[in-house]
Every structure is written in structure tokens, then in C-alpha cells.
Amino acid sequence: MTEQNMALAQLEPGEEAIIQFSDVNKWYGEFHVLKNINFSVKKGERIVVCGPSGSGKSTMTRCINRLEEHQKGQILVDGIEMNDNLKNIEAIRKDVGMVFQHFNLFPHLTILENLTLAPIWVRKMPKKEAEAMAMHYLERVKIANQANKYPGQLSGGQQQRVAIARGLCMKPRIMLFDEPTSALDPEMIKEVLDVMIQLADEGMTMVCVTHEMGFAKTVADRVVFMDAGEIVEANTPHEFFENPQHDRTQLFLSQILNH
Amino acid sequence: MAIEFKPSPSLPPPSNAVGPVAWVRKNFFSSPLNIFLTFFSFYILYLLIPPALEWAVFDATWEGTSKAACTAGGACWAFIRVRFDQFMYGLYPATEYWRVNVAAILLVVLVGMFAIKAINKLLLSIAIIVVYPIIAYFLFAGGVLGLEVVETSLWGGLFLTMLLGIIGIVASFPLGIILALGRQSKMPVAKSVCVIFIETIRAVPLITILFMASVMIPLFLPDGMNFNKLLRVLIGITLFSAAYMAEVIRGGLQAIPKGQYEAADAMGLTYWQSMILVILPQALKLVIPGIVNTFIGLFKDTTLVYIVGMFDFLGIIQMANHDANWLGTTTEGYAFAGFVYWAICFGMSRYSMAVERKLDTGHKRN
């Protein structure tokens, strides 16, 4: 990483980071999947992470709520260090919503029950209150009329919007998106992106792994490009797309933009 | 200007593709082999059914006090009628049969109350799992409220079979879940304990476990210390069946996509919350056929208690066959036993299919 990029992956002194990676390394067995990741996100920032498959972008994102464990270095989320301490992990997971590529809604529960599960059991919210809040978020993702259906009865795009609403029901301080549109039919991508753009406009801190470069251009504060387990380049969308510094970034952009 | 697109209207299917005639043609006469098999099957049924009906119904004897009364050449159902009470209650004193009946009716009523919408299901479950067994125990065993004491060695017949089956099923199911979760656990000690338990119990025949329970355990216990043989046998059956149950449930746990575990984790649910609220409801639903398989197996395996000197339903029928008055009624006895076991197991199987349909959320459209 160049000096300039290093500076962009890091924060100005005095700025408060909500997510802070310091020299983070991770291995899958012998395979070194994350190499010396130094990276921070400040409150309200929208980060888009992109890169070829196998570059470690999902893994890095999943380290933020410890769905993956890192073996070296330090990750601070909201000032709390992610380590083996279950209390810390549970505390962070309450405040970090996550949206997955394959939605991962619970098929045995209705849409409404999917949304109220965590508020009721983790936040100990009364059922009535949780349901009212769930309906509020379902309206925001324009799907309130499906509240009593089961996930299997909804289209992919609808399921992903439900998944976003489910994440929001915990009133998270950070939302993580792990390729939220990759499993969708082209016709449905827009409805999900629209919800994400709306969320970004409201000032939610977002880390989003995606190949939707249009989305990156519109909403991202910074675009992070990863390859082979490293952050190659991190820059504002304008600089990133117009003036990529690394040949690897240039190659990647030429491959995904010119087809 | 763009041309407006109108989908073509849907047409009804041709008349030879629907209706009863089409159904018969498709299922019975669709190919030369199918036509042959249809006629062959009807021929076999023709060979089997009339003689079976003749024996079981038309030529059967229904009244009588010994085998000598059965002269019509068909089944001697008089044997079942005369011995019926014993087949149901074993050697339980006849004056106390009502206690077993009351407990049975109470159970049916309690379980039936699940159908009432307004009832608190949690309280009802607690009533059935915690309160009912205590009431039932005192009804069966007596010794309180002026009820005559009835030793467990007198318990028998279908009553004992149901008792072993129901307690075995109710106790082995949660134990199986815990063993399955333990086997998947990341904690090495819990995991090895579960693996060793499952692999040991599964590798031993049930008869061996019953012998251990009834004959060997008393040898190891210090003098004077002993506990009831029925209880020991029950524990043996429960542990045996729990080991099988655990493996069935583990299959279900493995079939749940990793994403479900991750979504539950990412929400901040604790391990037990995510298991109870997210993973187990899905895993158990998937393996209902396997669970019921194990339940049915367990129910029929209870007949093995005959080996350690307990007279369950089949055992008491076999004993009755040796009665000098009724020599030669073995067929009737086994036919009756077979029919009762079939009816109960078939009931379990149908019930499980109904549960599966009820829990199916995959393709149902409102």
C-alpha cells in the first residue's frame, strides 16, 4: 500500500473510529487469508469493499462481528476488543446488524417472527412493542403486507429486504452487508439497493461487500479494494474509479466495468 | 409507440388427461408391464383375501371357555375374549383395573387439550410432563389415599407395554437432543462423553442392556441397596433409545445450512437461544421420519422385557398360549398381538405425517 493509500485507510488524528483493525492477520489452516489489515471506519461512514473472489473481503467483514476469528492483531468495535470473551462478542453483536448473501431468514418463522426474535430474546423487549417496531421497519422496506407469510413464500428481493429490516430491528450502530445482491435475479437487485441507499442517506454506518459499482459510486464515502488478503487501495469513489493507483486495481476495474 | 403485450389466455387441458378414467389408465394400464402387474396383483389378492376372511370372520368362534369350544374350523377368538383383561392389565388385581383406566383417560384428555386454542400450551406441557407422571405413579403403585399397594411385578399386558413405550419415548427424546448437541459441541470433554456414550450403547444389543439392568446391576450394588427392576429396565430402554435418537437428530443438525447458525449468532442470540429458537425447530422437523422410526422401534423393542421375566403385552399372550385349556391358539394370540402393535405403530406413523404437513412452511401459499 502506498503512503497516500495508507493514510486513506486510516483516520485523521482526533477522529473517533467505530471500527478499528490493527495489524489483523487470519489463517485458514495454512492459508493466509488476511494479511496485516490496518483499517478504520468512523461513525456514519459508508464503506464499500470490493475485490476478486477469494481476496478476503467477506472474511474481513465477518471479523467485525466475529463470525470469523482473527489470530493476530487487534479489532476494536465501538471501543470493545473482539477476543474470546463471549460477553464482548454478544455485546457487539447486539449493536452490529448483518445482511447475508443468501438472506439466511429463518424458514420456520413468519416474516414478523423473524424480525421480533432478537428484540424479544436479546433486547428483552415486550412482544407487542417488538411487533410494532417490526411493522415499522417492514413498512420502511415496503413489505409490511407480507408480515404473516413465511420466507419461502417471498421472492429473493423481498427476502433480502426482510433481512435488512431484521438487522435494523436491533437498532444497530453498524450494518454489515456481505454481498447482499449477489444471489438475486437482476430484476430484484434494484429494490434491495434502493433500501440500502435510503439507509445510507439516514447516516447509518455501513460496511458493504459488493460488486455493485453503481452503488459504490452513489453512496460510498470510501471504496476499499482487496486482493490476496490485503487492502490494496482505499480511496474516495471518485478517485478510486477515475484514478486507480495500482495496476491490480486497474485490471479489476477494467474487468468488471467493461463487459 | 410500443406494442402492448397481452399474455395469451390459459386453456383447459384436453379431456383425456383428467378425470377418473384418465387416472385409472395412467396408474393401472399405462404400459404392457403395468397391465400385467395390475392383473397379477388382483390375482394374488383373490388368492389371499377370501381364505383369510373365512378363517378370521366367517368360520371363527367367538364364544367359549376353552379351545374345545372352537369347532367351526376358523379362528378361536373366544381365547382373546376370555383372556382380554389379562392381556390389557397383566397380573394387576382385577378390582384395581379402574386405576389404570383413570390414568389412561386422564392422559388422553390432557393431550387432547392441546387442540383447545385458549389453553396455555406451556402450562399444559408442564402438567403432562411433570404433574401427570406423579399422579399416574401413585394411581398405579398405590400406597396413598387408601389405595391398595400393587407391586410393579404385577404390572403387565398392554398397560406395561404402553408404560414402557411412552416413558421411553418421552425420556429418550430430550436426552437424545442433548447427546446430539453434545456430540456437535466444541467443548472437548462434553463431546467425548457424548461420543463414547452413543458409540458404546449403540454397539450393544438391547437384550444385553436389559440383562445388565435386571441381573448384573443388583450384583454390583451393596447389600440391601436395591431399586425397582421396572425402573432399571426403563432406564436401560431409555438410554438405548436415546443413543439412536441422538444420531437421528445429529443428522438433522448437520442438514441445517451454516447460514442459519451464523444469522442466529450475528443477532447476538446465546448458544441455547439459537439452538432452541432457530436450529432445533428446523432440524427436528427435518428428521421427523427418523425420529418416528426410532419411536416405533423402541415401542416394539419393549417386547424384549419378556426375556427378563416381565409380562408385557406380547409376553402375557405367549404365557396364555401355554394354558392347557387353550393349547393350539398360538395363531390367534399372535394375530391379535400383531394387529394391536400394527394399529398403534400405524397411528404413530400417520400422526407424524400430519405433524410434518402442519409444520411445512416451504411451499404453502396463503
Side-chain angles (χ1 to χ4, degrees):
Chain A
M1 210 186 283
T2 63
E3 287 299 311
Q4 182 219 350
N5 277 319
M6 200 68 172
L8 269 158
Q10 298 296 313
L11 292 178
E12 305 293 324
E15 279 182 309
E16 196 196 339
I18 194 163
I19 303 169
Q20 172 82 52
F21 280 65
S22 315
D23 295 317
V24 172
N25 282 274
K26 174 173 174 64
W27 289 263
Y28 286 131
E30 294 283 302
F31 178 58
H32 197 172
V33 60
L34 292 181
K35 301 171 187 162
N36 277 323
I37 301 288
N38 282 291
F39 174 60
S40 51
V41 179
K42 59 189 174 195
K43 197 170 176 308
E45 228 184 349
R46 279 88 53 158
I47 305 290
V48 163
V49 185
C50 61
S53 71
S55 60
K57 54 194 192 303
S58 280
T59 307
M60 183 184 81
T61 310
R62 291 153 58 90
C63 281
I64 297 172
N65 61 353
R66 211 172 167 84
L67 285 184
E68 304 281 353
E69 288 172 27
H70 59 284
Q71 280 103 23
K72 246 182 87 184
Q74 190 191 44
I75 300 175
L76 290 173
V77 180
D78 218 1
I80 298 174
E81 183 173 0
M82 300 308 275
N83 51 25
D84 286 331
N85 187 334
L86 269 177
K87 282 265 174 300
N88 284 358
I89 297 173
E90 277 166 21
I92 282 306
R93 283 174 176 170
K94 278 185 198 175
D95 282 332
V96 179
M98 184 150 195
V99 175
F100 299 87
Q101 181 177 3
H102 296 288
F103 332 133
N104 298 353
L105 296 178
F106 304 135
H108 63 300
L109 301 177
T110 64
I111 301 305
L112 191 62
E113 287 165 341
N114 263 280
L115 265 71
T116 54
L117 188 76
I120 290 173
W121 291 93
V122 180
R123 291 249 188 258
K124 314 286 177 207
M125 192 183 273
K127 194 175 171 210
K128 284 260 181 302
E129 200 180 312
E131 283 178 352
M133 183 186 65
M135 288 310 293
H136 165 74
Y137 283 113
L138 282 178
E139 259 152 41
R140 270 187 50 179
V141 300
K142 302 187 180 61
I143 214 159
N145 54 343
Q146 318 273 14
N148 292 313
K149 289 194 179 174
Y150 287 96
Q153 299 167 268
L154 268 53
S155 73
Q158 290 173 322
Q159 290 194 44
Q160 193 61 298
R161 283 186 282 150
V162 170
I164 296 174
R166 180 174 74 174
L168 293 176
C169 270
M170 286 296 279
K171 303 226 190 300
R173 295 160 58 83
I174 303 166
M175 281 290 281
L176 307 177
F177 294 84
D178 188 1
E179 307 210 23
T181 55
S182 303
L184 295 176
D185 288 340
E187 287 179 296
M188 295 171 181
I189 291 178
K190 186 176 177 298
E191 63 186 55
V192 171
L193 289 180
D194 283 347
V195 170
M196 289 168 63
I197 291 169
Q198 188 194 355
L199 200 57
D201 289 343
E202 288 164 14
M204 174 69 75
T205 310
M206 292 165 73
V207 176
C208 183
V209 178
T210 185
H211 298 292
E212 295 296 329
M213 290 302 131
F215 174 77
K217 281 178 188 162
T218 343
V219 303
D221 294 310
R222 275 186 297 153
V223 181
V224 173
F225 175 70
M226 290 184 72
D227 190 24
E230 291 180 78
I231 294 182
V232 178
E233 194 161 340
N235 221 327
T236 60
H238 182 78
E239 279 295 301
F240 181 80
F241 289 108
E242 301 304 323
N243 188 20
Q245 301 294 308
H246 281 257
D247 53 350
R248 188 62 193 89
T249 320
Q250 286 163 7
L251 178 65
F252 177 76
L253 286 174
S254 73
Q255 277 166 342
I256 64 164
L257 294 177
N258 306 323
H259 61 82
Chain B
M1 203 184 101
I3 301 166
E4 191 187 349
F5 170 72
K6 266 194 194 145
S8 321
S10 303
L11 301 173
S15 59
N16 64 358
V18 287
V21 175
W23 184 87
V24 168
R25 186 181 297 156
K26 183 175 164 231
N27 290 289
F28 287 166
F29 303 107
S30 62
S31 69
L33 177 66
N34 200 342
I35 294 171
F36 167 74
L37 287 175
T38 300
F39 284 114
F40 185 69
S41 310
F42 279 121
Y43 179 65
I44 298 278
L45 289 177
Y46 165 76
L47 285 185
L48 290 178
I49 290 180
L53 279 178
E54 221 155 86
W55 178 81
V57 183
F58 303 123
D59 292 347
T61 308
W62 304 86
E63 310 271 347
T65 50
S66 77
K67 173 71 177 166
C70 300
T71 50
C76 188
W77 298 127
F79 164 61
I80 308 292
R81 281 186 64 162
V82 169
R83 291 290 186 136
F84 189 78
D85 282 351
Q86 211 182 50
F87 292 169
M88 294 297 115
Y89 305 97
L91 304 176
Y92 210 83
T95 50
E96 308 297 318
Y97 284 168
W98 65 270
R99 284 154 57 175
V100 177
N101 297 345
V102 166
I105 292 167
L106 187 61
L107 182 63
V108 171
V109 169
L110 280 172
V111 172
M113 277 163 72
F114 272 113
I116 305 171
K117 274 224 162 75
I119 269 180
N120 184 330
K121 302 268 161 25
L122 186 69
L123 282 180
L124 186 58
S125 307
I126 291 173
I128 291 176
I129 293 171
V130 181
V131 183
Y132 174 77
I134 298 170
I135 299 174
Y137 172 76
F138 284 114
L139 270 172
F140 295 153
V144 288
L145 300 172
L147 290 175
E148 185 191 326
V149 173
V150 181
E151 294 291 336
T152 53
S153 54
L154 300 177
W155 302 9
L158 189 62
F159 159 49
L160 180 65
T161 295
M162 295 300 281
L163 183 93
L164 291 169
I166 292 174
I167 297 181
I169 284 170
V170 171
S172 69
F173 185 53
L175 191 57
I177 292 177
I178 290 178
L179 284 169
L181 290 176
R183 192 166 187 167
Q184 297 241 305
S185 160
K186 288 191 185 111
M187 291 180 282
V189 176
K191 186 176 171 139
S192 356
V193 168
C194 291
V195 170
I196 291 168
F197 177 88
I198 291 169
E199 296 303 336
T200 312
I201 299 274
R202 268 202 319 174
V204 176
L206 179 56
I207 295 189
T208 315
I209 291 177
L210 292 178
F211 264 123
M212 289 276 284
S214 69
V215 182
M216 291 183 68
I217 289 178
L219 294 179
F220 299 138
L221 289 174
D223 279 348
M225 185 185 153
N226 203 348
F227 61 103
N228 190 286
K229 180 158 105 181
L230 176 63
L231 182 62
R232 279 179 274 140
V233 164
L234 257 176
I235 292 173
I237 289 177
T238 303
L239 295 182
F240 183 76
S241 168
Y244 281 86
M245 186 64 64
E247 288 297 279
V248 170
I249 292 169
R250 189 165 69 95
L253 290 173
Q254 282 175 343
I256 302 301
K258 202 165 153 252
Q260 294 288 311
Y261 292 88
E262 288 178 349
D265 282 349
M267 288 180 162
L269 294 175
T270 63
Y271 172 79
W272 287 108
Q273 283 174 340
S274 74
M275 286 303 136
I276 292 169
L277 298 167
V278 176
I279 305 301
L280 282 174
Q282 297 184 59
L284 295 179
K285 185 178 95 181
L286 273 178
V287 293
I288 288 175
I291 292 173
V292 175
N293 224 2
T294 314
F295 282 168
I296 289 177
L298 164 102
F299 183 74
K300 290 186 297 185
D301 278 352
T302 58
T303 51
L304 289 172
V305 298
Y306 184 48
I307 306 265
V308 294
M310 299 173 91
F311 291 99
D312 74 312
F313 184 55
L314 189 67
I316 206 119
I317 290 177
Q318 280 177 317
M319 192 173 79
N321 283 331
H322 296 239
D323 183 337
N325 282 333
W326 294 104
L327 286 176
T329 52
T330 328
T331 315
E332 286 83 351
Y334 283 128
F336 178 61
F339 174 75
V340 171
Y341 278 109
W342 173 81
I344 293 170
C345 295
F346 184 67
M348 280 200 254
S349 153
R350 300 305 298 187
Y351 175 72
S352 82
M353 285 162 85
V355 171
E356 266 182 88
R357 269 196 303 276
K358 190 178 153 216
L359 296 180
D360 180 27
T361 59
H363 311 285
K364 198 173 58 188
R365 303 257 168 198
N366 309 349

